[in-house]
Amino acid sequence: DNPWLGQADAVTRCLDTVLTILVGKATFNLLYDTMSSVVYSKSCQIDTRLGSGADAMQLNGSFFSLGDGLAIIMFMPLIERFLLPLPSGLPEGRSAKTSIFWPGLASP
């Protein structure tokens, strides 16, 4: 509750969400960057050669970070099509996008 913002209107209701957005963004970035750095450092220790010969080409450790972008491109349309409409039976006032916000943060 932020009574210091003044009367409850569209602007104050919008400003009430700023803390939630900042906490969500900071949490996501912390987890995402941690995951990226761990995956990158571990991938440098993996034998990523394509083939078994002495002159076999080796994949760079950053190659595996491409999978994240590809997964987003492939699965976001499916999630928006099939998972976002599921919470439509929730009580009035909760939209599908806000109902998946907190579980999305809880699942690293």
Side-chain angles (χ1 to χ4, degrees):
D1 189 33
N2 296 323
W4 55 273
L5 288 174
Q7 285 186 350
D9 60 358
V11 174
T12 58
R13 287 194 309 265
C14 179
L15 290 174
D16 280 341
T17 63
V18 170
L19 180 63
T20 304
I21 292 170
L22 288 177
V23 168
K25 183 163 177 53
T27 305
F28 174 80
N29 284 340
L30 177 73
L31 294 172
Y32 187 79
D33 291 341
T34 301
M35 177 197 69
S36 296
S37 66
V38 170
V39 167
Y40 184 72
S41 66
K42 291 296 181 186
S43 66
C44 290
Q45 299 172 5
I46 298 173
D47 183 14
T48 57
R49 288 180 287 184
L50 299 176
S52 59
D55 59 345
M57 184 175 79
Q58 185 171 3
L59 297 174
N60 189 339
S62 62
F63 171 79
F64 297 103
S65 64
L66 293 174
D68 183 39
L70 291 175
I72 291 170
I73 291 170
M74 290 188 312
F75 291 111
M76 276 312 295
L78 296 174
I79 289 171
E80 286 182 350
R81 176 78 171 119
F82 297 110
L83 292 180
L84 285 180
L86 288 179
S88 62
L90 292 174
E92 194 64 33
R94 294 191 63 188
S95 69
K97 292 189 185 219
T98 58
S99 62
I100 66 166
F101 177 74
W102 293 110
L105 284 178
S107 60

